[in-house]
Every structure is written in structure tokens, then in C-alpha cells.
Amino acid sequence: MVVDCHPLLRGGRRETRYSHGFSAAQIQALAAICETLIPSVPLDSINPRIPHDDQALHGFYSASGSQHHVPDEVAELLTKRAQRQVVAMVSLVLKMLSFRLGTLVLCWGSCLASTWPFILNFSEMPVESRERVLMNWSRQKFLVPLRVVFVMIKLYCLFIFYTRTDENSSNPAWEAIGYQVDTREKPNESHDKQERPLERGLVETVHETDSSLIQSLAQKGLEVAQIPQHNAFRVKCDVVIIGSGCGGGVAAAVLARSGQKVVVLEKGNYFVPQDYSSLEGPSLDQMYESGALLSTVDGKIVVLAGSTVGGGSAVNWSACIRTPSHVLKEWSADHKIRLFGTPDYVSAMDAVCKKIGVTQKCEQEGFQNQILRKGCESLGLKVEAVARNSSEGHFCGSCCYGCRTGEKKGTDSTWLVDAVENGAVILTGCKAKKLTLENTQHGEKTKKCSGVIASSVLNKEITKELHIEAKVTIAACGAVSTPPLLISSGLKNPNIGRNLHLHPCVFAWGYFPENLTGIKGKVYEGGIITSLNKVVSETGAPVPAIIETPSLGPGLFSALCPWTSGADMKERMRKYSRTAHLFTLVRDKGSGEIREEGKIVYNLGEFDKENMKIGLRQALRILIASGAEEVGTHRSDGQRMKCKGTKEEDIEEFLNSIVVSGGPTSREELWNLYCCAHPMGSCRIGASERDGAVDESGESWEAKGLFVCDGSLMPTAIGVNPMITIESTAYCIAMKIAESLSRKA
């Protein structure tokens, strides 16, 4: 299988040398850990019923995590994506494991032998002994750094093993686990490729040099001049927008349509449907923040956020849910943000839904949504259809890697198209470094924002910075990136970076053998979210949580699943294509903060933990009622239950054992990994400077001319997928900015 796609999304290793900096001895120790996590397992010892002529399965079980440069790839990704202190811990542990005494300190009696030299280093130990060591590390309550090292290597090793591809864009494990990459025909695949929709206004810095960049910008109608003393170019425009996602894309369209010269900065690349490969590894690497491996500082919650033209709207799961009425009432009444109680906001939601082509029905549901619906109906629970920004017949499970058919309408194919048609310029591979703030001597605000300083992050041939001067500057980098930009630029409002809500999610899974259930399909097929269930307590009272279905390719599936042994993990992966996941998403009252780039601090509150537990139990009930053969959670001990022949009292006993554990750095013996894809609230709108980072118009309380226009504006968590809320809020704010600029003209 050779995938016709953009070179960055093709997979396969492009560099010829590794730059991780680990020594040969450290890599040998890492290879031994990888081999323990993914060992070569005799198939007969696992499942003697598997035919001997099934070469794919035999090859899968005989494969090892120490083969095919996996350890070097793990080290490379670790040094590229993990936090520095984690890399330092891993490096130290690997160094110790390469010596006998170091191995004795970390592995205790498991490394002792009856013959000289009596102490083995880690790579000399039998796989069975190494496996016991890793399980001990996983359960460590006192030497927490060992657990962190285990978790990080396990996560990166399994992710690499199941996502890495060869020169033919294939992975030998995929056939054995029943996985197939989406290869449906792309638009114009059989014709000459047409001009990309944003081409008219696009400047891709990855293809530029210092000399060509100034020409490209001038050709787009921008006033550009050199600033020799700063080794920079000065670029003048009316509005500069940092970010091209749900907030930035909408703002760009509204303001460009009003006659303003708009410049949009996007640090990621621009891709179109013809470019997409649907390959999990390279797609996550190129289109997500930190390659989809961003996490809270304690490693407890993996945070998914888009980082490409279109931002999250280009890679999200298409759910289009209007802001719930009770949330709007809370924001307008309790938080005194009048906008959310006005007809203007309702009209904005209408305009947004029309623009992005929201449809209310789904002609055919995929495997996981069928299970959610069947389980709810069996239990008498209400299941609701989820609107999507695609056609009713859109049967696509790979929209999270970019929609290869082009049916999903993200900002990259809607709002930004409008923007460039009205003269907007989009600079890709260009990251904002600092806002340009000036002190003011008069007026209510102490500062004025006159633009932003940016630089190329994808092309070393561009050495000059861009000093972009504008009447209005809009930060729309998303809730994990906007606060660090504002704080590093010198803004002091204490709400900036705080009040961060994540919609934390916990997973339940159920295995549905193909021959035992009437539900057809594979876990990766069909619309990602087409149904949801609102969680209720045992008394029937509503709980601020919902149950939906995720998209988990083999890489994320394996990385998030608990590891209890190498053989068990291979069995889990063999069942991958028929293992359905449901997740409980909580409208979190607790919050965290993001003040430095990449450093997300977040603690689950007790109220949120309790709601998450109620939702997790309900998700498991739904899976059981759908006919699952086995169900379980992602708790580190592999918590699970066989369903066939199980009595009701046994099910209740299992459900009563469900708790929401802490993360890997907690001092609990058992722990869990959580996910989120909806960071919000970190620059929230407030009725006063004390209540929020910006006012009701989205403007900074401190700096005139500086606005925020992304998910960080939300006063609280929403409790549902936030795309419609973010776009509608951005629409209202941009309309007000446009009115203000027109009055000043």
C-alpha cells in the first residue's frame, strides 16, 4: 500500500541519523524495556485455536519491541515531545540499568543470578524477570519517578510500534489486529489537482527565504519594509490574528468581509483533502499540538489540540452541539455576561451552523455508535443524535487525521476561504513570539497593543523576524497557547492562564466478537460521534457529564490501554478492531492553569471525580447491555469483567468497585490515564477585571486593541463539544470589532 499524500503525512523515517543523544548502552537498556513491553510470544501459548497458516498473526506474535529501530525511534520521540525533567529521569534510569550495580538498585532481587557475576544488568535478565520489574515499577507508591519512567516508555514504545510505517506506508501489525487505513477516493484524485482553496491568500514560509518572503508578502497586497537594526521585516495591516482555528478562522472571515486587511498567523502547515494520508502517526505528528502527546505536568491527562491551518476544526470529531440553554443562562445571569442572553448570540449560532453545513441526521452509524445506541435502548436510557458539519451520509472514521473526502467543513474550507476571497493573507509555519505593547499615558487601560513579533518555526532559511503592525491584534491560539503568549508579553491580569477547564474524559471498553453480536463493522469505521447519552444518577437525577464515542487508532489505543504483561497487551491488540470504547466527559467545576508554554497544571476536584465515576459506571452498563463479551476500564491493573454467564449481583459488585483513580504521579497503587480535547476558560470573559482576563467585547482589560477570540474565552466549562460555542462567540466579537473599526475609518 503506497499512499498518495503530502510528503509530511506519508510516514517512514526521513532523517538518516538519530539526534536523541542517548548512548549505545542506554539504547541497549531501552531496547530491553521495549522487548519486555512488546515481547515475542509463542502463539500456541496464547491461543492454540488460531490457524497455523495465519501468517499475519504469527508474524505479529513473534514481533518484538526491540526490533526495527523501535528503541531509537522511542528515544527520538521522547526527547522531542516529553518534558525536559521526564527526559532527564528516563536518561538516568537507562544509564543505571546499563550497569550491574545500577540494575541492582532499581530491580532488587530480580537481577540476581546463581553464577558469576551473580548480578545481571537489565538487558541480560530473562524477559520474565524484566516483566516483574516493570510491574513493580507500575505499582510504585513511594519511588514515583520509577513509575513515571515506566509510563512514559510504555506510552511512547507502544505508540511507535503501532504507528510507524515503512516506505510503503504500511505496518506489519495492522493486518493481524484487523486495522486498515482509510483509502477511499479523494476529491479530484483522478483529475489534475485543482488550486487549493486558500492559495490566493497563502504564504507558506516553509517554501520561502528571506529574500522571497518580502516579495510574497508584497504580492499579497501588504506593505512590507526592512528593519535592518532588528534583522526584521515590518508588515502593516489592519488586523493581525494569531491562530486559524474555530476562533481565528471566524474572526478572519468577518473582519476581511468588513473591508479590513487581515493577516492570519498559523504555526502549523496547510493541508487539503488531496494531502491527507489517514496515517495515524504522521497525521498526529503534523496536525496536533506536540504530536498529540501533550499532557498535564503530572502526566495524568493527555491533551489533544489541533496545530494546523483550521486548528481543531480541521481534526476534530465533527460534533456540532449548540451552547446548552442552561449554560447560556448561567453565563448571562450568574457571570453577568450579557452577550450570552441576547438574540445576537442565538443568531450567531444560526449563522455558524449554516456556514459550516451542519446536518442533524446520520444515514448510517459506525460500530461504536451502534453499540452506544443499542445499550442505551436496552437500558431505557435516552440517546440523542449529534449534529455534524458534514453530509448526513458522511461515513468517515478518519476525520481526526483530516477529512480525506473534504465533506467535513472546518474553518480551513469555510471561513478562511471567505477571508482570502476578501483579501486576507495567511502565513503558515509562522509563530507569534511576543505581542508589541506600549505604555499609554491616558485612558482607562495602561497599555496599547500595536501588533505582534513573529518568526518562522519550520524553515531555518528564514532568519528575519516579522514585526507586524496592526490596529487590532487578536490572540486566537487556543486555550493552551494564548495565555503563555499574553503572559510572556508582559500582561499581568491574574485571570490569564487560570480557570483552565479541560472536560476530562475517562474510558470504558467492551469487546464484541464478530460472531457473537449482530453489530457489524470495525472500531475505526463510520462517523466518530453521531450519538450521545446524558448521564443520570441511580435516582434519575441529571449529572453534568455525557457519554460519547472516541476515535482511537492503534497507536493511541495501545498507549492508553493498561499494560499488565506483554502477552496480555498483544491479546488486547489482537482484539483491537472489535473493542469499542465509550468515554465519559465531565463538565468540570475544578480548574487548572497554563502560564508557560507546554506546562499544564490540573487537578481533578472531588465533585468532578464523583461525576466521572457515575458516568464510567453508566458507560460500562451500556457496554454490557449491548452484548459485550468482556468489559473493563483503563485502570493500571487492567480492571475487567467477563460478561457471559455473569449474574446481576456480580455485575453490581464489579460496578461498585469502580473508582476514579489518581494519575501516575499519585501515591495510589492503582492509577489511570485520562484524556481531553476541549481546553477552555484560561482567558475567560469577565464582567470586571477581577472576574476575567477580557471584557465582554473580548478586549484585554489591560491593553487597548488586544482581543482574545478562542476557547479560552469561555466563563466556565460548557459540558458539550465546544466548536459551535467558540465559533459563535468569535462571530459576535468579530462583528463588534468590525463595527468599531468602521466607525473610526
Side-chain angles (χ1 to χ4, degrees):
M1 176 190 70
V2 179
V3 177
D4 180 23
C5 62
H6 193 287
L8 291 174
L9 301 179
R10 185 170 295 132
R13 183 169 175 82
R14 287 178 294 278
E15 299 88 353
T16 56
R17 298 174 61 185
Y18 293 99
S19 58
H20 49 65
F22 288 172
S23 68
Q26 287 175 307
I27 292 297
Q28 185 179 24
L30 179 58
I33 295 177
C34 292
E35 183 185 30
T36 310
L37 293 168
I38 310 171
S40 176
V41 180
L43 186 53
D44 290 343
S45 67
I46 300 295
N47 193 336
R49 291 176 295 178
I50 294 177
H52 288 277
D53 59 352
D54 193 327
Q55 295 183 356
L57 272 176
H58 279 270
F60 170 64
Y61 278 95
S62 64
S64 161
S66 63
Q67 298 171 346
H68 308 302
H69 303 289
V70 169
D72 277 304
E73 297 276 2
V74 171
E76 195 81 356
L77 190 61
L78 190 73
T79 54
K80 179 182 178 182
R81 298 297 188 191
Q83 298 168 27
R84 280 178 295 179
Q85 63 268 32
V86 172
V87 176
M89 277 193 286
V90 171
S91 179
L92 176 61
V93 167
L94 293 179
K95 190 169 186 177
M96 291 180 69
L97 291 177
S98 64
F99 296 99
R100 301 188 195 284
L101 288 180
T103 303
L104 180 62
V105 170
L106 297 178
C107 303
W108 308 290
S110 296
C111 65
L112 298 178
S114 58
T115 57
W116 178 262
F118 304 117
I119 301 174
L120 306 175
N121 66 32
F122 190 77
S123 61
E124 296 170 337
M125 293 166 54
V127 172
E128 296 77 12
S129 300
R130 283 183 254 148
E131 193 170 84
R132 288 195 298 272
V133 169
L134 295 189
M135 282 307 304
N136 284 334
W137 289 3
S138 173
R139 292 176 175 267
Q140 267 298 328
K141 294 191 292 184
F142 303 107
L143 295 175
V144 173
L146 278 182
R147 179 191 282 179
V148 172
V149 169
F150 163 77
V151 171
M152 295 307 294
I153 295 178
K154 172 256 179 185
L155 191 154
Y156 282 72
C157 175
L158 289 165
F159 182 81
I160 287 288
F161 186 82
Y162 289 104
T163 61
R164 68 191 306 271
T165 56
D166 58 23
E167 62 278 4
N168 295 317
S169 301
S170 63
N171 180 306
W174 290 346
E175 183 181 352
I177 66 175
Y179 178 64
Q180 290 183 331
V181 174
D182 189 350
T183 56
R184 288 173 302 157
E185 186 172 303
K186 303 174 187 178
N188 307 314
E189 198 167 66
S190 57
H191 307 91
D192 291 336
K193 292 187 177 180
Q194 298 177 351
E195 181 183 90
R196 298 183 294 172
L198 302 182
E199 192 72 38
R200 183 186 305 180
L202 194 67
V203 176
E204 295 176 283
T205 61
V206 70
H207 301 312
E208 303 285 349
T209 63
D210 282 337
S211 59
S212 69
L213 179 59
I214 191 170
Q215 297 174 4
S216 296
L217 294 172
Q219 288 170 1
K220 302 297 182 185
L222 293 168
E223 184 181 333
V224 189
Q226 294 201 43
I227 316 175
Q229 63 269 34
H230 292 296
N231 189 36
F233 295 134
R234 178 187 290 112
V235 182
K236 290 188 176 182
C237 60
D238 296 318
V239 179
V240 59
I241 301 173
I242 308 160
S244 63
C246 293
V250 173
V254 171
L255 289 161
R257 192 169 57 216
S258 72
Q260 306 301 321
K261 187 62 178 179
V262 174
V263 171
V264 179
L265 303 182
E266 170 55 57
K267 67 180 180 181
N269 282 303
Y270 174 48
F271 301 109
V272 295
Q274 292 89 344
D275 294 328
Y276 296 135
S277 66
S278 299
L279 294 170
E280 182 184 14
S283 299
L284 295 182
D285 182 68
Q286 290 294 319
M287 302 176 70
Y288 284 75
E289 192 71 45
S290 298
L293 295 171
L294 178 66
S295 73
T296 52
V297 292
D298 60 3
K300 178 167 57 182
I301 304 177
V302 176
V303 182
L304 300 178
S307 184
T308 184
V309 173
S313 74
V315 294
N316 68 15
W317 299 349
S318 305
C320 296
I321 304 175
R322 290 176 176 244
T323 317
S325 57
H326 68 275
V327 174
L328 290 176
K329 184 177 180 181
E330 178 186 326
W331 289 354
S332 59
D334 298 348
H335 291 266
K336 299 181 174 57
I337 311 299
R338 292 167 297 176
L339 167 65
F340 296 111
T342 64
D344 286 349
Y345 185 79
V346 177
S347 297
M349 287 196 288
D350 292 338
V352 164
C353 290
K354 181 179 180 181
K355 184 64 185 175
I356 63 175
V358 173
T359 57
Q360 302 297 323
K361 297 178 182 178
C362 174
E363 292 179 359
Q364 179 186 2
E365 288 198 301
F367 175 65
Q368 295 189 125
N369 283 278
Q370 290 181 61
I371 286 167
L372 173 58
R373 185 173 293 276
K374 179 181 178 181
C376 287
E377 291 172 349
S378 297
L379 294 170
L381 298 172
K382 185 179 180 182
V383 60
E384 300 180 12
V386 176
R388 299 180 294 163
N389 56 333
S390 62
S391 68
E392 293 182 354
H394 189 48
F395 191 75
C396 176
S398 59
C399 278
C400 52
Y401 311 134
C403 182
R404 62 187 292 117
T405 66
E407 290 184 72
K408 187 177 79 169
K409 303 302 181 185
T411 63
D412 54 314
S413 60
T414 53
W415 297 104
L416 289 171
V417 175
D418 283 2
V420 299
E421 287 178 352
N422 286 282
V425 180
I426 302 172
L427 277 78
T428 65
C430 193
K431 183 178 180 180
K433 295 175 64 177
K434 191 176 183 180
L435 301 171
T436 306
L437 300 175
E438 306 165 2
N439 293 326
T440 56
Q441 302 299 322
H442 54 276
E444 297 179 1
K445 303 188 178 184
T446 60
K447 299 179 185 296
K448 177 185 177 182
C449 184
S450 58
V452 64
I453 298 172
S455 63
S456 171
V457 290
L458 299 178
N459 186 353
K460 294 179 181 178
E461 291 189 25
I462 297 180
T463 62
K464 294 185 183 294
E465 292 181 337
L466 295 179
H467 291 202
I468 302 173
E469 298 177 359
K471 303 171 190 174
V472 167
T473 302
I474 298 176
C477 326
V480 297
S481 296
T482 288
L485 175 64
L486 270 57
I487 291 170
S488 64
S489 299
L491 296 184
K492 304 295 184 184
N493 185 294
N495 289 289
I496 300 174
R498 293 182 178 148
N499 313 303
L500 174 67
H501 298 280
L502 295 179
H503 280 174
C505 300
V506 63
F507 290 97
W509 60 268
Y511 175 54
F512 294 80
E514 203 149 6
N515 59 338
L516 294 182
T517 66
I519 299 175
K520 303 297 182 182
K522 307 289 187 183
V523 69
Y524 51 85
E525 295 173 338
I528 299 170
I529 295 177
T530 56
S531 299
L532 69 78
N533 167 250
K534 293 178 179 176
V535 178
V536 294
S537 68
E538 292 182 0
T539 62
V543 173
I546 59 175
I547 295 173
E548 294 179 323
T549 58
S551 170
L552 292 176
L556 285 181
F557 180 103
S558 62
L560 294 173
C561 274
W563 183 92
T564 55
S565 73
D568 176 74
M569 179 55 74
K570 286 208 169 177
E571 270 295 275
R572 281 181 181 270
M573 292 308 298
R574 181 179 67 83
K575 300 174 181 178
Y576 163 76
S577 68
R578 296 286 293 182
T579 299
H581 273 83
L582 303 180
F583 66 85
T584 297
L585 179 156
V586 172
R587 186 189 180 205
D588 45 330
K589 280 194 171 181
S591 64
E593 66 176 43
I594 170 73
R595 300 180 62 80
E596 294 181 55
E597 187 173 356
K599 293 186 178 180
I600 303 171
V601 178
Y602 186 90
N603 291 307
L604 273 172
E606 290 304 316
F607 178 79
D608 299 327
K609 284 183 178 180
E610 181 61 26
N611 291 331
M612 191 174 277
K613 180 176 71 174
I614 295 170
L616 182 57
R617 290 176 177 177
Q618 185 159 311
L620 287 163
R621 288 184 190 277
I622 291 169
L623 290 165
I624 294 168
S626 296
E629 180 181 271
E630 186 177 28
V631 297
T633 70
H634 279 189
R635 202 173 71 182
S636 59
D637 63 343
Q639 183 182 36
R640 65 181 79 184
M641 181 190 73
K642 295 281 187 182
C643 300
K644 187 176 180 180
T646 303
K647 298 178 181 178
E648 184 63 32
E649 53 265 33
D650 294 328
I651 293 175
E652 289 303 314
E653 182 180 349
F654 174 74
L655 294 175
N656 288 335
S657 71
I658 300 298
V659 296
V660 174
S661 309
T665 59
S666 70
R667 295 199 176 273
E668 301 174 37
E669 181 176 335
L670 303 177
W671 46 273
N672 212 327
L673 287 178
Y674 303 89
C675 277
C676 85
H678 304 155
M680 66 189 80
S682 51
C683 283
R684 70 181 181 187
I685 296 178
S688 69
E689 192 170 357
R690 185 179 63 182
D691 299 323
V694 299
D695 64 20
E696 188 174 328
S697 298
E699 189 171 20
S700 164
W701 289 105
E702 299 170 79
K704 186 175 180 59
L706 173 62
F707 294 79
V708 173
C709 216
D710 56 28
S712 62
L713 287 172
M714 304 301 106
T716 68
I718 304 168
V720 296
N721 305 69
M723 176 166 61
I724 299 299
T725 301
I726 296 170
E727 292 199 13
S728 302
T729 305
Y731 185 89
C732 292
I733 288 173
M735 290 292 285
K736 289 183 179 180
I737 296 172
E739 291 171 10
S740 175
L741 289 173
S742 65
R743 286 196 301 268
K744 294 175 182 178

